[in-house]
Amino acid sequence: VAPDWAAGRACTSDIPMVGVTGQELFGQFRAGRRRREEQGTAYPLQDSRQGVGALVVFDRNTALPPDVRARLQALVREEGPRLAAAAAIRAAELRALTDELTGLWNRRALDLVMQGPEDERCALLLVDLDHFKRVNDDLGHTAGDAALKHVARVLRGALREQDLAARVGGEEFAIWLPSTEIEQ
């Protein structure tokens, strides 16, 4: 959430922020998202050092009774450090499954996904960039890195929501297509 919106401001302050609509709380929504326009309050979640998020409570009447508000604020104070620790663990897990250069999933993530249920048809495409060594040799590794990032953007843009693109080697990629017959 951008810091311009109520939930974003709550993440970086110690003051609950009220939004009259969902857009005011979170900013522009992506097309196709179903979110009712409701007002709510974003309560800041903090660990001892900084803001780690916000708990957003939707309520048509933003004037919560004082006892409910007090319980929410106690919950927020108690859960902030736990959520910070959980977020740090999740970030480390994601780093372990992500290719640092391209932002695509890595071989470990692909292996985990491929160990999923075996009762559905799926396809695995392997993509190797021919003569890629020449790009690095002739134009330098910065150009090679830019080319790999471009390929990652192209792959990401061509996938369905349930598909997965992974960088599995230097210039080797894999595309996992669940629920896909060979003809597709």
Side-chain angles (χ1 to χ4, degrees):
V1 174
D4 314 2
W5 306 103
R9 287 192 311 273
C11 292
T12 58
S13 74
D14 59 353
I15 302 169
M17 300 288 171
V18 175
V20 178
T21 66
Q23 182 173 351
E24 199 174 282
L25 281 164
F26 298 109
Q28 293 291 341
F29 296 122
R30 290 184 6 202
R33 297 271 182 176
R34 284 189 245 154
R35 245 194 229 281
R36 294 180 301 186
E37 293 291 320
E38 291 183 354
Q39 56 191 28
T41 305
Y43 293 89
L45 293 170
Q46 298 180 331
D47 66 7
S48 60
R49 296 160 292 172
Q50 63 184 1
V52 295
L55 170 68
V56 178
V57 177
F58 291 99
D59 187 0
R60 284 177 174 57
N61 177 8
T62 56
L64 293 173
D67 63 319
V68 173
R69 191 176 318 118
R71 283 188 295 188
L72 278 172
Q73 289 174 334
L75 176 69
V76 163
R77 275 191 305 277
E78 182 181 311
E79 295 304 320
R82 290 184 186 141
L83 289 173
I89 291 168
R90 181 65 182 149
E93 289 171 344
L94 285 175
R95 280 192 307 277
L97 297 173
T98 305
D99 176 61
E100 186 176 355
L101 177 66
T102 63
L104 293 178
W105 297 108
N106 63 20
R107 175 180 240 127
R108 180 180 297 156
L110 178 66
D111 289 343
L112 289 172
V113 168
M114 289 175 55
Q115 292 173 11
E118 296 180 23
D119 59 343
E120 66 179 44
R121 301 265 182 185
C122 56
L124 176 66
L125 306 175
L126 299 176
V127 179
D128 182 80
L129 305 180
D130 288 340
H131 311 292
F132 185 76
K133 184 178 181 324
R134 286 182 22 205
V135 172
N136 281 332
D137 291 347
D138 294 348
L139 302 173
H141 289 280
T142 302
D145 289 352
L148 292 171
K149 290 176 186 177
H150 177 73
V151 169
R153 278 191 303 275
V154 169
L155 292 176
R156 224 181 273 110
L159 298 179
R160 303 171 299 181
E161 189 172 320
Q162 69 268 24
D163 300 338
L164 178 139
R167 182 174 174 214
V168 295
E171 74 280 355
E172 298 166 346
F173 298 86
I175 302 170
W176 178 252
L177 305 168
S179 304
T180 305
E181 297 289 334
I182 192 70
E183 294 80 18
Q184 292 174 290

